[in-house]
Amino acid sequence: ESTLQLFKFSVANVSVTRRYKMYIWFTIIAGLAILPVLLKTLFDPYFVQDCSYMLNALKHGIRLAKYKKKKPFYSILDCFLDAVKKQPNKTFLHFEGTSHSYVEVDKQSNKVARALQTRANLKQGDTVALFLGNDPCYVWIWMGLAKLGCAAALLNFNIRSKSLLHCFSCCGAKVIIAAAGKDGLRVFTRPYNRPMAAIHLSKNTKPLASITFKSPALYIYTSGTTGLPKAALVTHERVWAASFIQAVSGVRSDDVLYINLPLYHSAGFLVGLTGAIERGLTVVLKRKFSASQFWEDCRKHNVTVMQYIGETMRYLCNTPKKDNERDHKVRIAIGNGVRSDIWTEFLNRFGDIAIRELYAATEGNIGFINYTSKIGVVGRVNFLHRRMFPYTLIKFDIEKEEPVRNSNGLCIKAAKGETGLLVGKITKYSPFVGYAGNNQQTEKKRLRDVLQKGDLYFNTGDLLRIDEQNFVQFQDRVGDTFRWKGENVATTEVADILTMVDCIEEANVYGVKVEGHEGRIGMAAVKLKEGKEFEGANTFSQVTNYLPTYARPRFIRIQSSFEMTGTFKMKKVSLVEDGFNPAAVHDPLYFLDPAMKTYVPLTEEIYTSINNREIKL
């Protein structure tokens, strides 16, 4: 600033001719000063893709701002109703040999809305829990609820017992809708023991006008350190933001999207379903993922966009090779959690498909998407993204499971190329709403005094890395959660179930790597009660009765005592590093054998068969 003032003073005291010359020289000097940065930017091989992404993101940001200003505000449901007017007979859903047009889905949702309003006495602001698998009725039930101004709680239909009861209550659901086999749907009103037969009325139902952008639209459940699922509150604003992911990935209205991920997941519902509504395209809905049927489905329905998690990519790569496996129209794949080697193998086998690997959390305020062709990364640092959604990586102590702070009590930024904890600044444009009925866990995700006193950030609980080319790479999760089969597993929930077994006094649950698999599989170190021996059959019965398949610990390690931290937490790092190799672990090891319906001693032979993929996990 002082240099500029000196320049202005000098110019003011010289002749006009010399003044012009000084301006020219000053421009040349300034240009030379910024030339290295300019050249580096222009010759960056990803410069054009960066600009394209930023313009696309800016366009949708402006759209969102316009929707907010509309009175009543413009919701994703309004977007669907506009599509009904524009393309009533276009197929919206394909499912198991049947097709449903936009107008048909709209009419079905009106019937649901009228039935629930009449018989369940639902009103604006009520919450209804959906305990359903993938099915077209899932879509029109949700839309019917949205037309009544009700929020939908999307329950994982794999959960059981204590977790299931917890999920019912924490979101304050008034009604639960569950699948009931050949009898169709069952609708229960509180106290969840009175079945209510649905009625079908065709009277049109319009969305309520007083719902706002900040009103709850959904509750989507995520595992956490409490041991029980947490109900992440998803506002209408957040639904819109998630729906734009398809748009910034290059998806068009003439595309056909294949959804085989569960609709109770944010990936299946937010990225998949609401993204499809925003684009106005056709959805092929699958009850569950099938590697053997995947490409046949894609060919049959002319699928052009697919969704994935890392596991589905691996399953597809593990299928027997066929001559026609490149005979398809899929051009974009959107998802997360795929390893670099699987990513490469998938492209080599199935053709030039644009992989849009992303990083996000249902409740989080920061996310990334890989809009380049770079393999193994989840996104890229760019100016506009960082400006709108401020974030940073900070140093993290793995042993203490807490951020590293300096003498002033502030966190320390991780250097470029160094792994750090991702935290997103909580602002008006990047809020963290929190969890329904759980202020304690909401507060735990808030991190204060990060870069300066008084600031507030969202703690993602994930370790990431930004390399020299500004690419973002996911490294690992921290804390008491691991991921297996595309599901988050809360270790304390599993531990609570294990300690209900008569012979087990304490349990320390963690996830371990298995060669050739994404994520971490469940393992537990257990301490037996005095005088007791390990009861494999009883333990098997307990975990299979009370835990979904993905959360069951496949390996048990018997220990006489546990290592504790200074704050009396069970240490997991060394256990994770030890893994389940019987040659390296000297404690007794057991393996969950579904065929024998018990935990059997883990032998070298079993260990080798697992690594050779002869035993299916």
Side-chain angles (χ1 to χ4, degrees), residues 465-602:
R465 175 179 173 270
I466 299 173
D467 68 15
E468 295 298 326
Q469 289 186 297
N470 283 330
F471 284 107
V472 184
Q473 300 166 336
F474 178 81
Q475 300 295 103
D476 208 349
R477 301 182 71 86
V478 298
D480 296 324
T481 304
F482 62 89
R483 193 170 179 84
W484 180 248
K485 300 286 187 183
E487 302 276 3
N488 289 339
V489 181
T491 58
T492 46
E493 178 185 3
V494 179
D496 286 345
I497 297 299
L498 283 172
T499 52
M500 292 169 67
V501 179
D502 185 56
C503 65
I504 297 175
E505 182 176 315
E506 289 183 279
N508 187 6
V509 179
Y510 49 96
V512 292
K513 289 280 190 181
V514 182
E515 189 175 337
H517 292 70
E518 281 82 16
R520 298 175 184 271
I521 196 169
M523 184 167 180
V526 302
K527 180 182 174 184
L528 301 178
K529 293 178 180 176
E530 189 174 351
K532 295 280 188 178
E533 292 186 356
F534 181 63
E535 300 166 359
N538 287 344
T539 306
F540 174 90
S541 177
Q542 180 73 10
V543 300
T544 53
N545 285 337
Y546 292 97
L547 292 172
T549 305
Y550 61 82
R552 297 167 189 168
R554 298 303 297 268
F555 307 104
I556 297 284
R557 177 176 178 172
I558 310 298
Q559 290 190 299
S560 57
S561 61
F562 292 151
E563 261 194 290
M564 308 296 282
T565 67
T567 53
F568 302 102
K569 292 181 179 178
M570 296 176 186
K571 286 189 175 183
K572 300 177 189 277
V573 176
S574 60
L575 294 173
V576 171
E577 291 173 351
D578 288 346
F580 59 97
N581 185 353
V585 178
H586 302 299
D587 295 323
L589 295 174
Y590 291 85
F591 172 66
L592 187 153
D593 188 330
M596 300 290 291
K597 295 187 177 180
T598 187
Y599 280 90
V600 299
L602 177 57

Side-chain angles (χ1 to χ4, degrees), residues 408-483:
N408 295 320
L410 300 177
C411 298
I412 303 169
K413 284 187 178 182
K416 183 163 281 192
E418 181 183 11
T419 296
L421 176 70
L422 175 66
V423 293
K425 192 170 185 178
I426 298 174
T427 69
K428 176 183 177 181
Y429 298 105
S430 56
F432 166 56
V433 182
Y435 309 108
N438 200 331
N439 292 331
Q440 183 181 8
Q441 288 301 316
T442 298
E443 186 58 34
K444 278 187 176 181
K445 297 296 284 185
R446 294 182 175 132
L447 193 60
R448 303 175 190 278
D449 301 334
V450 176
L451 300 181
Q452 60 185 40
K453 293 292 184 181
D455 63 14
L456 186 62
Y457 280 73
F458 170 74
N459 180 356
T460 66
D462 292 322
L463 300 176
L464 280 78
R465 175 179 173 270
I466 299 173
D467 68 15
E468 295 298 326
Q469 289 186 297
N470 283 330
F471 284 107
V472 184
Q473 300 166 336
F474 178 81
Q475 300 295 103
D476 208 349
R477 301 182 71 86
V478 298
D480 296 324
T481 304
F482 62 89
R483 193 170 179 84

Side-chain angles (χ1 to χ4, degrees), residues 39-145:
L39 288 174
K40 184 179 179 182
T41 302
L42 289 175
F43 285 97
D44 187 321
Y46 300 99
F47 175 69
V48 175
Q49 289 169 298
D50 287 341
C51 290
S52 177
Y53 169 78
M54 286 191 284
L55 288 172
N56 215 346
L58 190 61
K59 178 178 72 175
H60 293 297
I62 293 171
R63 281 181 61 198
L64 191 61
K66 288 180 178 177
Y67 294 160
K68 284 184 179 180
K69 291 180 180 178
K70 286 192 175 185
K71 296 193 182 301
F73 89 98
Y74 190 76
S75 71
I76 197 72
L77 175 62
D78 293 309
C79 184
F80 175 78
L81 295 177
D82 281 348
V84 172
K85 296 175 185 175
K86 182 180 178 181
Q87 50 190 30
N89 298 317
K90 180 176 180 177
T91 298
F92 180 46
L93 295 173
H94 283 298
F95 181 79
E96 296 183 352
T98 62
S99 297
H100 306 276
S101 67
Y102 272 77
V103 70
E104 182 185 347
V105 172
D106 182 41
K107 288 178 179 178
Q108 291 287 355
S109 68
N110 286 334
K111 292 179 182 180
V112 170
R114 294 298 302 167
L116 291 176
Q117 185 181 48
T118 305
R119 299 296 297 275
N121 196 30
L122 287 179
K123 60 183 184 299
Q124 179 185 339
D126 286 341
T127 299
V128 175
L130 304 185
F131 193 58
L132 305 166
N134 283 14
D135 189 279
C137 72
Y138 200 118
V139 179
W140 52 66
I141 289 172
W142 159 65
M143 285 186 179
L145 292 172

Side-chain angles (χ1 to χ4, degrees), residues 348-383:
N348 289 339
R349 278 192 60 177
F350 303 111
D352 187 18
I353 299 171
I355 308 295
R356 296 294 178 245
E357 174 81 357
L358 56 86
Y359 166 84
T362 303
E363 73 275 40
N365 66 346
I366 178 65
F368 301 96
I369 186 166
N370 181 3
Y371 49 84
T372 74
S373 57
K374 179 83 169 179
I375 291 175
V377 301
V378 298
R380 184 167 157 83
V381 176
N382 68 64
F383 169 77

Side-chain angles (χ1 to χ4, degrees), residues 333-346:
I334 305 172
N336 68 285
V338 61
R339 293 200 325 254
S340 296
D341 57 333
I342 299 295
W343 189 330
T344 302
E345 184 181 353
F346 181 84

Side-chain angles (χ1 to χ4, degrees), residues 71-313:
K71 296 193 182 301
F73 89 98
Y74 190 76
S75 71
I76 197 72
L77 175 62
D78 293 309
C79 184
F80 175 78
L81 295 177
D82 281 348
V84 172
K85 296 175 185 175
K86 182 180 178 181
Q87 50 190 30
N89 298 317
K90 180 176 180 177
T91 298
F92 180 46
L93 295 173
H94 283 298
F95 181 79
E96 296 183 352
T98 62
S99 297
H100 306 276
S101 67
Y102 272 77
V103 70
E104 182 185 347
V105 172
D106 182 41
K107 288 178 179 178
Q108 291 287 355
S109 68
N110 286 334
K111 292 179 182 180
V112 170
R114 294 298 302 167
L116 291 176
Q117 185 181 48
T118 305
R119 299 296 297 275
N121 196 30
L122 287 179
K123 60 183 184 299
Q124 179 185 339
D126 286 341
T127 299
V128 175
L130 304 185
F131 193 58
L132 305 166
N134 283 14
D135 189 279
C137 72
Y138 200 118
V139 179
W140 52 66
I141 289 172
W142 159 65
M143 285 186 179
L145 292 172
K147 289 178 177 181
L148 294 176
C150 297
L154 313 184
L155 304 191
N156 181 337
F157 61 81
N158 294 300
I159 59 174
R160 299 290 183 269
S161 187
K162 184 179 177 182
S163 290
L164 185 56
L165 292 173
H166 166 77
C167 291
F168 286 161
S169 59
C170 71
C171 65
K174 180 179 180 181
V175 172
I176 297 165
I177 302 176
K182 64 179 181 180
D183 296 325
L185 296 175
R186 289 184 298 173
V187 183
F188 295 91
T189 56
R190 281 187 181 273
Y192 312 126
N193 58 5
R194 290 191 292 113
M196 180 194 75
I199 59 175
H200 301 285
L201 302 176
S202 59
K203 183 179 177 181
N204 184 53
T205 306
K206 294 183 178 180
L208 298 177
S210 54
I211 301 296
T212 73
F213 243 52
K214 300 295 182 183
S215 299
L218 303 165
Y219 295 95
I220 299 181
Y221 292 81
T222 178
S223 297
T225 55
T226 57
L228 292 169
K230 297 177 292 187
L233 194 161
V234 181
T235 63
H236 287 277
E237 180 180 30
R238 187 62 183 273
V239 171
W240 264 122
S243 75
F244 289 146
I245 290 175
Q246 285 192 38
V248 299
S249 298
V251 178
R252 307 184 303 255
S253 61
D254 60 342
D255 278 313
V256 177
L257 173 69
Y258 189 26
I259 299 179
N260 51 54
L261 302 180
L263 289 176
Y264 62 75
H265 264 183
S266 53
F269 194 96
L270 292 176
V271 179
L273 181 62
T274 68
I277 291 172
E278 192 277 331
R279 295 282 81 189
L281 50 73
T282 296
V283 172
V284 177
L285 183 64
K286 190 77 171 177
R287 197 174 295 277
K288 63 179 181 179
F289 173 78
S290 169
S292 62
Q293 298 172 16
F294 184 89
W295 293 114
E296 285 303 317
D297 286 342
C298 289
R299 281 186 279 270
K300 178 180 178 181
H301 297 289
N302 295 315
V303 170
T304 56
V305 181
M306 59 174 278
Q307 283 191 277
Y308 71 89
I309 55 173
E311 284 294 310
T312 60
M313 289 283 209

